[in-house]
Amino acid sequence: MTTVTQILTKAKAHLGVTTGSATHKAIIDKYNGVKPLPVGYKVTYTDDWCDAFISALAIETGAVDIIGRECGVQRHIDIFKQKGIWFEDGRITPKPGDIITFNWNDWSTANNGFADHIGIVESVANGQITTIEGNTDRAV
């Protein structure tokens, strides 16, 4: 069984990976290497890759059955809902290992917009959530 420690260890090992690097390409190749591809889409090296990163972590740690695979954040939320692991009431404090999604649109209120970014919670302390994310400023 996959543990939070295993997933976070793998995520931390990718800190500093930048878009276009050999390790970034390996992340994308790992995502694309599991068939069938979600929605039949092969992620390219120039695509946004935050969710491909999360999915590659799941592949590397054997957690695909737990969280699924996807390259589109909003579609990944649908997978989380199907698996019964999606919580969206705004009252839950995340914990290390939780997957967290973001909606960067200023015009929407909490929980009603299109999710466009995803990461994994590393820690929560004093009301601050620290995450590890692919494709933040073109890096992990």
Side-chain angles (χ1 to χ4, degrees), residues 49-90:
W49 52 282
C50 60
D51 209 351
F53 172 69
I54 295 299
S55 294
L57 291 175
I59 294 164
E60 290 176 353
T61 61
V64 171
D65 289 344
I66 299 168
I67 68 164
R69 293 180 299 122
E70 187 44 81
C71 61
V73 180
Q74 194 64 45
R75 288 189 307 268
H76 213 153
I77 288 172
D78 292 338
I79 292 169
F80 298 151
K81 288 177 180 177
Q82 291 168 3
K83 292 181 170 291
I85 60 171
W86 179 252
F87 302 96
E88 188 177 7
D89 69 6

Side-chain angles (χ1 to χ4, degrees), residues 15 17-18 42 44 56 71 74 78 83 89 94-95 105 132 134:
L15 290 172
V17 170
T18 58
K42 183 177 180 181
T44 71
C71 61
Q74 194 64 45
D78 292 338
K83 292 181 170 291
D89 69 6
K95 58 187 180 304
N105 298 321
I132 300 174

Side-chain angles (χ1 to χ4, degrees), residues 8 14-16 22 24 27-28 30 34 62 71 81 87 97 114 121:
L8 287 175
H14 289 92
L15 290 172
H24 163 250
I27 290 167
I28 301 306
K30 183 168 297 292
V34 178
C71 61
K81 288 177 180 177
F87 302 96
F114 188 85
V121 176

